[in-house]
Amino acid sequence: MTEERKAAHSGVAGMLNLYGRGVRTALRDNATAYGFSISITAAYGLVTGARGPASAGETIMFALGSATAFLVVGLVLLTLFRRARLTEGEQELTLGGVIDVLSVAVAVSAAYGLSLVPGFAAWPLTGLGTVSAYLLAGGVDVVLARLAARHTSMGEPEK
């Protein structure tokens, strides 16, 4: 790197450039998940508004229905687009999204159990336990997806 470029990167302009790249990275890496989060939160709010306060069972069914959509859409698309050969890494990512229903089920189960803790403690414990359960089960999802990708050939070999 030239001395001139080093000076530009070390000053305010360099910090602003670095900040701008950081914001672009955050937008790129989070846009899809953020849009999904907004959509599913709005859907829960709309069904609650139309049907009244949700019971624990209705909330669990909403979550499992939402997770099942990933499973069904993933399997349908894998079946319909079998001609598009996927690398093992792409297979792993695709299968991970399909298998994610496991993480959701574990997290929602933890949320339900912890939401029953009496008093104020239910709030932080439910958040803590739900996220922890999701992440820990997510590790299992990744292992299962990796194993499945190694033993599955998604798509036909290109000719």
Side-chain angles (χ1 to χ4, degrees):
M1 183 179 272
T2 66
E3 292 301 317
E4 185 178 309
R5 287 192 70 175
K6 284 181 186 176
H9 285 289
S10 64
V12 172
M15 292 303 287
L16 287 174
N17 185 30
L18 179 62
Y19 175 74
R21 285 185 298 175
V23 170
R24 284 191 305 273
T25 299
L27 285 168
R28 181 190 68 233
D29 292 349
N30 293 297
T32 300
Y34 184 64
F36 176 77
S37 295
I38 292 169
S39 299
I40 201 66
T41 301
Y44 186 80
L46 289 167
V47 75
T48 300
R51 311 275 312 161
S55 68
E58 290 168 329
T59 299
I60 290 168
M61 292 312 296
F62 180 88
L64 294 178
S66 301
T68 300
F70 270 84
L71 176 67
V72 171
V73 170
L75 291 175
V76 167
L77 290 175
L78 286 173
T79 301
L80 290 176
F81 296 105
R82 287 185 35 209
R83 290 222 178 284
R85 181 95 171 140
L86 301 177
T87 66
E88 186 175 318
E90 291 169 326
Q91 289 179 36
E92 187 178 321
L93 286 172
T94 302
L95 289 167
V98 169
I99 297 171
D100 192 53
V101 71
L102 171 66
S103 295
V104 172
V106 169
V108 170
S109 296
Y112 175 71
L114 291 166
S115 72
L116 300 176
V117 169
F120 177 80
W123 290 97
L125 288 176
T126 300
L128 178 87
T130 302
V131 171
S132 297
Y134 183 84
L135 293 172
L136 293 170
V140 174
D141 286 352
V142 170
V143 170
L144 292 174
R146 183 164 291 159
L147 290 172
R150 288 185 182 157
H151 300 299
T152 304
S153 177
M154 290 184 194
E156 298 174 5
E158 295 179 8
K159 296 175 184 175

